[in-house]
Amino acid sequence: MQKILAIANLVKDWQIDDIKDLASNYQVKMADQLTDADFPNIEIQYGWNADLAEKYAANGYDSLRWIQVQFAGINQLPKEIVTDEKIQITNMSGIHAIPIAETVFGYILNYYRSLHIYKAREEKQHWEYAQHMSLPGKKMVVFGAGNVGKEIARIGQAFGLETVGVNTSGRDVDYFDQTVKTADGFEKVTDANIIVNVLPETAATKNVFDAAYFSRQEKKPLFINVGRGSAIVDQDLIEAIDKGDIDYASLDVFREEPLPADHPFWAHDKIDVTPHMTGQVEHFAIETYKIFQANLTAYTKDGDLSVNVVSKEKGY
């Protein structure tokens, strides 16, 4: 039986032709063309969705050797894939950096220039100045100093912000005026005006933004989460805002998505909710294919992968 390369990512016709040329020993099939009989023969999976999870669970992962996911994290994948040593995983880390950073500064400017207040007043035809703040000299701490965090810091420096990055080792990273180890970021950097979370979801990053963390803040900061919803204790954030430890929050990721209609985040006047959209890439099929193409070229040559190989131990 011929090995199968299955596609569940957005692709263009010319990309399918290119895949067929690069993987000439494989049968190339779109996800909606797959039958139950195909799953025992899928070796390469390009893209992932919930329907695939159900079908793989029913038919097994015996022949699967490499999955290229179209997102940066791997928490969407079944644990059977994540823990299987025979299956390599590559991600799309890096392609989301620019749109996420752009959106983060949309949140920041919305808050600092009171645009959200003016929008509400516009609906009532109410003409009145609100409070205005500027960014130069303010401190921004970014939890997660990888590709996305670095792009946020680059733009932050252009706005005159003092940038502090938090990473596992505390190693220096471009565009950060200072970097600190994770523990120090949570315990000692308590004077930020802006807090941005871009941490991936791992066992060590769940529930880290809790009441104890929020209560240590000295400047009633703006809190932004574009990492993972599991990093925040939801009720603790609400209480921190109500107490004044946090002044405002812009949230794009949540423990449950879509965010339930009865969740208190929706109704809170100091919380902005966006539908996990910060990483949306304008030319998604083009940008994701660059990574898959490089990996497919390497994989069909000698079985190795060249770009964005995920460490299963770290989870990213």
Side-chain angles (χ1 to χ4, degrees), residues 4 37 44 59 112 120-121 125 142 157 164-165 217 226-227 287 297:
I4 293 174
I44 301 171
N59 294 285
Y112 267 75
R121 290 178 180 174
Q125 298 84 46
V142 181
Q157 286 190 341
V164 179
Q217 305 312 308
V226 292
E287 296 304 317
T297 300

Side-chain angles (χ1 to χ4, degrees), residues 144-164:
N147 291 322
V148 175
K150 187 164 65 172
E151 180 64 12
I152 292 169
R154 184 187 69 81
I155 298 173
Q157 286 190 341
F159 272 108
L161 288 169
E162 177 187 354
T163 56
V164 179

Side-chain angles (χ1 to χ4, degrees), residues 211-233:
Y213 172 76
F214 294 132
S215 68
R216 286 193 287 271
Q217 305 312 308
E218 303 168 23
K219 295 185 177 179
K220 298 183 179 180
L222 167 65
F223 180 82
I224 297 171
N225 188 20
V226 292
R228 289 292 180 264
S230 59
I232 299 175
V233 180

Side-chain angles (χ1 to χ4, degrees), residues 14-34:
W14 68 264
Q15 293 171 341
I16 296 175
D17 292 338
D18 192 51
I19 290 169
K20 289 179 178 178
D21 287 341
L22 289 170
S24 57
N25 293 330
Y26 293 79
Q27 183 182 10
V28 177
K29 300 189 75 169
M30 300 301 295
D32 59 4
Q33 299 172 336
L34 295 171

